[in-house]
Amino acid sequence: MFVHTSHAPASPAFPHTHPDLTGLLTQCRPSAVTLYNVDSVVYAQGDAAGPLYLIAFGAVRLCRLTSDGRRQISGFVLPGEIFGFEARGEHHFYAECLDATGIRVLRPSGDASASTLNLALETLTRAQEHLLVLGRRTVVERMAAFLVDLAQRQGDEKSVVLAMQRNDIADYLGMTVETVSRVIGKLKAMRMIRLRTTREIELLNPSGLMALSE
Amino acid sequence: MFVHTSHAPASPAFPHTHPDLTGLLTQCRPSAVTLYNVDSVVYAQGDAAGPLYLIAFGAVRLCRLTSDGRRQISGFVLPGEIFGFEARGEHHFYAECLDATGIRVLRPSGDASASTLNLALETLTRAQEHLLVLGRRTVVERMAAFLVDLAQRQGDEKSVVLAMQRNDIADYLGMTVETVSRVIGKLKAMRMIRLRTTREIELLNPSGLMALSE
DNA sequence: CGACCTGTTGATTCTGCTCAATCAACGTGG
DNA sequence: CCACGTTGATTGAGCAGAATCAACAGGTCG
């Protein structure tokens, strides 16, 4: 499961750190960064919820399996972002690492609930935005929205590093891997993007992508 | 906009009142029930957020318009449920009444933030469940999930009263009105449901519907 | 009554899925 | 070093499902 644990000071500097996050960090006792391997499980569906998880590096996917064996990914979590919010003290999704990932566990005290609420609301907003994406008609629009969102969260307007593979993108956007490939190909043909590698995408026309995803 | 305002004692008895809701109610000064007409707007996209809204009767849809004029409904809110949670102090969706609707405004004080957090997490869970529904492949599955969800929230296993029209269901489930009609027809042919009226649906085979929706 | 709105049904089009093959990158062992 | 297996990504052909376009039915309200 976990590989190694290291203690480190509590304030990572990420491009888009949420103000309430630093507030929450100062209210929690400094916690260790735990290292997880690829595909290792941070928590399982049905596990007791409570602590929150801050990603130091790497990335995480939040998933649910349906009874017919398919998987829906409700979200990806990137460095500097928090996950683990759940209602009724139980995880309704499970969390897996996309990569070798460093995670800091936060145990909010009672007086941190204001910060906690704000961060939970951020998570809610993310879910609602994802919901809008899935509501779109065409796969091209969904993919465009996905790329624009990732670019913004990574703080680079013009390029995206995909921490996840086509498989994961498909389950996140509600399409198949083949369609993911084809759509990326189509966006390439439209001169919207360029593939440096399969994992690095250059956004040639960010505003055009935003118009598509809108 | 609003029709009439009446003062009333603070504890409505709904079948599925959340425990944190009663907690929150006792911590807020009793507030009036405001009556809204059909299609009237509770708050607009971009409005300042802050207060929460508890539905006494009627129903509300939460929507976002896309630039191409389409509408995505992120959720419906039924009597006894709360809406109005937003990150960053601003509404990213707008709220409209499906019907003549009575709404109680709640202004949580600082010491109510624990209850508030829990209710916000309930909203998050609802969004995530909706996300799973939209991720399903077939429209029949989506419709089945929708009906089962509504039945559970209305506290009646075997029948559903649709507060919304086909139009709204379509925008909620990411399909067209025509498809909504056809899918309902198909579920009828499968002996899963029966239409008492266009707005009242009897669930003939709840467990079958749940199996469909997984 | 006629105009309008909501809901249903029919015909056709087309998007995206399924099933498959192919390709590229990588590691292993002979 | 190369043959081989594996995994991830791309591409192709055919098909099913849902959208689109269009007509029509029933109800309500002026």
Side-chain angles (χ1 to χ4, degrees):
Chain A
M1 193 65 65
F2 72 99
V3 181
H4 171 251
T5 295
S6 78
H7 284 265
S11 273
F14 293 112
H16 293 95
T17 300
H18 196 277
D20 284 305
L21 179 54
T22 62
L24 185 62
L25 276 175
T26 59
Q27 281 159 328
C28 297
R29 55 181 169 283
S31 63
V33 167
T34 305
L35 286 131
Y36 290 81
N37 278 327
V38 188
D39 291 335
S40 56
V41 177
V42 180
Y43 52 75
Q45 202 170 317
D47 276 4
L52 302 176
Y53 304 86
L54 168 63
I55 299 196
F57 59 88
V60 163
R61 62 176 168 249
L62 308 174
C63 325
R64 169 92 64 89
L65 288 179
T66 62
S67 62
D68 63 346
R70 297 165 78 106
R71 183 185 65 165
Q72 175 68 39
I73 295 184
S74 77
F76 296 114
V77 197
L78 303 185
E81 298 175 347
I82 283 208
F83 66 101
F85 294 98
E86 291 285 357
R88 277 159 279 162
E90 185 179 329
H91 285 294
H92 302 93
F93 291 78
Y94 65 92
E96 265 179 351
C97 297
L98 289 167
D99 240 339
T101 299
I103 296 177
R104 193 181 297 276
V105 180
L106 309 177
R107 303 184 181 278
S109 52
D111 59 345
S113 55
S115 305
T116 309
L117 174 59
N118 284 328
L119 289 168
L121 290 177
E122 288 293 330
T123 303
L124 171 61
T125 299
R126 218 173 261 310
Q128 288 174 331
E129 292 299 324
H130 185 194
L131 210 136
L132 283 183
V133 172
L134 286 184
R136 291 189 209 301
R137 298 214 182 322
T138 73
V139 288
V140 175
E141 287 176 340
R142 298 216 282 278
M143 181 62 71
F146 171 69
L147 292 175
V148 168
D149 175 54
L150 265 195
Q152 286 174 351
R153 286 161 71 185
Q154 292 181 354
D156 186 349
E157 177 93 348
K158 299 197 118 29
S159 81
V160 167
V161 177
L162 300 176
M164 69 293 296
Q165 55 193 33
R166 301 295 189 262
N167 203 1
D168 297 315
I169 300 178
D171 288 346
Y172 179 72
L173 294 180
M175 56 180 94
T176 62
V177 271
E178 297 94 330
T179 302
V180 169
S181 268
R182 283 185 246 270
V183 169
I184 289 179
K186 186 173 287 186
L187 287 176
K188 217 163 43 175
M190 293 165 76
R191 304 283 176 203
M192 289 298 202
I193 62 174
R194 194 177 72 82
L195 265 59
R196 277 199 275 270
T197 72
T198 52
R199 291 300 193 92
E200 289 179 62
I201 298 185
E202 189 177 343
L203 307 193
L204 301 175
N205 185 356
S207 53
L209 284 172
M210 286 184 60
L212 271 182
S213 73
E214 178 54 11
Chain B
M1 193 64 64
F2 73 100
V3 181
H4 170 251
T5 294
S6 79
H7 284 265
S11 272
F14 292 111
H16 292 95
T17 300
H18 196 277
D20 285 304
L21 180 52
T22 62
L24 185 60
L25 277 176
T26 60
Q27 280 159 330
C28 296
R29 56 179 168 284
S31 63
V33 168
T34 304
L35 285 133
Y36 290 80
N37 278 326
V38 189
D39 291 337
S40 56
V41 178
V42 180
Y43 52 77
Q45 202 169 316
D47 276 4
L52 302 176
Y53 304 87
L54 168 63
I55 300 194
F57 58 87
V60 163
R61 61 174 169 251
L62 308 173
C63 326
R64 168 91 63 89
L65 289 179
T66 63
S67 63
D68 61 350
R70 287 203 302 256
R71 182 185 66 166
Q72 175 68 36
I73 295 183
S74 78
F76 297 112
V77 197
L78 303 185
E81 299 176 347
I82 284 210
F83 66 100
F85 294 97
E86 290 285 358
R88 276 159 280 162
E90 185 179 331
H91 285 294
H92 302 93
F93 291 77
Y94 65 93
E96 265 179 350
C97 298
L98 289 167
D99 240 337
T101 299
I103 297 176
R104 193 181 297 277
V105 180
L106 308 178
R107 303 183 181 280
S109 52
D111 59 345
S113 54
S115 305
T116 309
L117 174 59
N118 284 328
L119 290 168
L121 290 177
E122 287 294 330
T123 303
L124 171 61
T125 299
R126 218 173 260 309
Q128 289 173 331
E129 291 300 324
H130 185 193
L131 211 136
L132 283 183
V133 171
L134 286 183
R136 293 189 210 298
R137 354 159 243 302
T138 72
V139 288
V140 174
E141 287 175 341
R142 297 215 283 278
M143 180 63 70
F146 171 68
L147 292 176
V148 168
D149 175 54
L150 266 194
Q152 286 175 350
R153 286 161 71 184
Q154 292 181 354
D156 185 350
E157 179 95 345
K158 298 196 116 36
S159 80
V160 166
V161 177
L162 300 178
M164 67 297 293
Q165 54 193 32
R166 303 294 189 264
N167 201 4
D168 297 316
I169 300 176
D171 288 347
Y172 179 72
L173 294 179
M175 56 181 90
T176 62
V177 271
E178 296 93 330
T179 303
V180 170
S181 265
R182 283 185 246 270
V183 170
I184 288 179
K186 186 173 287 186
L187 287 176
K188 218 164 40 175
M190 294 164 76
R191 304 285 176 201
M192 289 298 200
I193 61 175
R194 192 177 73 81
L195 294 191
R196 277 200 275 269
T197 71
T198 51
R199 292 299 193 90
E200 288 179 64
I201 299 185
E202 190 177 342
L203 306 193
L204 301 175
N205 185 356
S207 52
L209 284 172
M210 286 184 58
L212 272 181
S213 72
E214 313 226 357

